Amino acid sequence: MIWKLALLGFGNVGQGLARLLVEKRKELKRKYGFEYKVVGIYDIKMGGICIKDGEVDLEKLLKIIDGGGMIADYPGASKDLNALGLIEMCQPDILIEMTFTDFETGQPAVTHCRQALANGIHVVTSNKGPAALAKKELWKLASENGVQFRFEGTVMSGTPAINLATGCLAGAKISGFRGILNGTTNFILTKMEGGMTYDAALAEAQKLGYAEADPTGDVEGWDALGKGVILASTLMDTEFRIKEVPRKGITQLKPADIEQTKKEGKRWKLLVECREKDGKVALKVEPVKVDLTDPLASVGGATNALTFDTDVLGPVTIIGAGAGRKETGFSILIDLLWIHSIARGKPLLEVGE
Ligand code: HSE
């Protein structure tokens, strides 16, 4: 089967994914039997295209974009396309939802996901809104329609935190987790400790594609909190209302605080912590002074780290990229391959294949 893909949103993540799809096309077919064609792309700022009897040439499109152009400059681009039209007109097998996160309503992404799933289309998303606010409903809708709703890219970009916890650790009880889940703030804190100003560090994080479209989400702790909510609801079956969870970002930390903490032999980290106590689960996000001997202290830049507390193994930690164009694009690729594997009823890699 050749999977028909539609990409909704073509910013940092969409372009990162497109580059990976181009670079790895042959290898994906050879190793996993995964073949694809991108039948449509729509981005609110860049325009859209739908090619029913063929595919979008991603290499050509990326050249246009690298040269300062937009999707609207691709031959045959449609002026009338919109997000829901992409789903209806292009009729993909998989919708890849990579629009901007809105933690207030989850929209318009929740509507995009609903529309696709109700029409028997698998959904893969890196958008935290649907996963944090509407996951149960979307999982149910997916199951009723015989398709999958997957969201690996919502936590730790392409570092497979969700697949690790739900797949590799299946059978273990996860009673809590703690970690660094926002790449932008970890990058800023690392750079500030090295002497850079907050503004310069944030500007660099934006240039490198780490920050959200509105970086307030990163620096005020919303992004880390959204990830905590996604993990808590997925792994510990606990729903949190984002606005009710204690949350502090890093904006109140001044260079003098960072200097002082350094002198104390400690380092600031923005931590997400979720713990079960007396049958209740508590979640919080706040900057914490960690000892330099704490393994989290050495996790610098946009790297993330997450420790799951499990009944069988004790703590299990995963460390890896937490933000970035290709890094988050890779999370989508992981989910595409899982959909492929489950649909064909075979493991991704088989001995002798
Ligand atoms: N803005 C996010 C971060 C991107 O910095 O971690 C990945 O979710």
Side-chain angles (χ1 to χ4, degrees):
M1 155 172 205
I2 300 179
W3 290 97
K4 287 190 281 168
L5 312 179
L7 278 54
L8 192 43
F10 205 62
N12 284 331
V13 184
Q15 290 175 37
L17 171 67
R19 286 179 211 282
L20 282 175
L21 286 172
V22 169
E23 284 167 22
K24 291 183 175 280
R25 186 167 205 148
K26 282 194 189 128
E27 193 189 338
L28 292 172
K29 181 176 175 192
R30 183 184 61 78
K31 242 175 142 176
Y32 310 108
F34 179 83
E35 293 182 86
Y36 70 86
K37 56 182 184 175
V38 173
V39 292
I41 308 182
Y42 174 74
D43 182 280
I44 197 161
K45 290 187 188 155
M46 291 201 178
I49 178 147
C50 178
I51 301 185
K52 274 190 177 168
D53 306 318
E55 66 180 312
V56 179
D57 180 338
L58 290 177
E59 248 178 302
K60 188 160 142 183
L61 176 62
L62 288 168
K63 264 192 200 139
I64 293 174
I65 286 173
D66 288 345
M70 307 204 292
I71 303 170
D73 300 315
Y74 188 96
S78 158
K79 285 201 182 81
D80 307 320
L81 201 64
N82 59 26
L84 294 180
L86 177 83
I87 301 168
E88 210 172 295
M89 281 172 57
C90 304
Q91 297 189 337
D93 303 308
I94 307 177
L95 176 74
I96 305 174
E97 216 298 342
M98 300 171 287
T99 62
F100 302 135
T101 294
D102 179 327
F103 280 126
E104 297 263 340
T105 64
Q107 295 292 15
V110 171
T111 301
H112 302 154
C113 296
R114 273 191 198 127
Q115 176 87 1
L117 296 169
N119 283 286
I121 296 167
H122 299 280
V123 172
V124 173
T125 189
S126 56
N127 188 318
K128 290 142 219 156
L133 303 175
K135 179 168 52 58
K136 271 197 175 160
E137 176 211 327
L138 296 172
W139 256 348
K140 186 165 176 275
L141 194 57
S143 150
E144 285 165 2
N145 288 280
V147 287
Q148 296 179 53
F149 171 64
R150 303 188 72 96
F151 46 90
E152 179 60 68
T154 58
V155 179
M156 288 183 86
S157 71
T159 304
I162 292 178
N163 276 296
L164 169 72
T166 57
C168 305
L169 291 176
K173 177 176 160 54
I174 294 177
S175 59
F177 56 85
R178 177 179 185 257
I180 298 167
L181 293 182
N182 182 266
T184 302
T185 46
N186 205 48
F187 179 84
I188 293 174
L189 291 173
T190 307
K191 290 287 177 187
M192 282 178 79
E193 209 183 305
M196 199 183 256
T197 65
Y198 171 88
D199 288 339
L202 174 58
E204 199 172 327
Q206 287 178 297
K207 204 168 117 201
L208 292 166
Y210 299 154
E212 297 296 298
D214 175 359
T216 316
D218 296 292
V219 296
E220 296 295 358
W222 292 109
D223 177 82
L225 172 55
K227 291 165 178 168
V229 168
I230 293 169
L231 287 173
S233 66
T234 307
L235 309 177
M236 298 165 72
D237 201 19
T238 308
E239 300 296 331
F240 286 100
R241 285 177 193 274
I242 287 193
K243 289 222 159 136
E244 289 168 9
V245 178
R247 171 196 51 83
K248 272 192 206 142
I250 62 159
T251 46
Q252 80 283 9
L253 291 180
K254 303 293 169 224
D257 300 315
I258 290 172
E259 254 327 285
Q260 176 56 31
T261 306
K262 213 164 139 182
K263 283 185 195 146
E264 292 166 19
K266 294 184 177 183
R267 182 168 280 160
W268 285 104
K269 292 289 171 195
L270 184 69
L271 297 189
V272 180
E273 192 168 353
C274 185
R275 294 267 174 259
E276 197 181 84
K277 207 180 161 203
D278 304 328
K280 275 199 159 184
V281 180
L283 177 66
K284 64 179 175 187
V285 175
E286 62 185 1
V288 174
K289 287 181 192 183
V290 298
D291 284 324
L292 292 184
T293 51
D294 185 324
L296 288 181
S298 58
V299 176
T303 305
N304 282 186
L306 178 62
T307 299
F308 298 110
D309 299 324
T310 74
D311 56 349
V312 192
L313 304 173
V316 175
T317 300
I318 185 167
I319 299 177
R325 297 183 177 95
K326 267 196 182 169
E327 291 84 346
T328 312
F330 178 67
S331 70
I332 305 281
L333 187 55
I334 297 174
D335 279 342
L336 291 178
L337 291 173
W338 277 115
I339 289 176
H340 172 63
S341 166
I342 291 167
R344 71 176 189 163
K346 281 164 78 177
L348 274 176
L349 272 179
E350 279 190 329
V351 177
E353 242 191 324

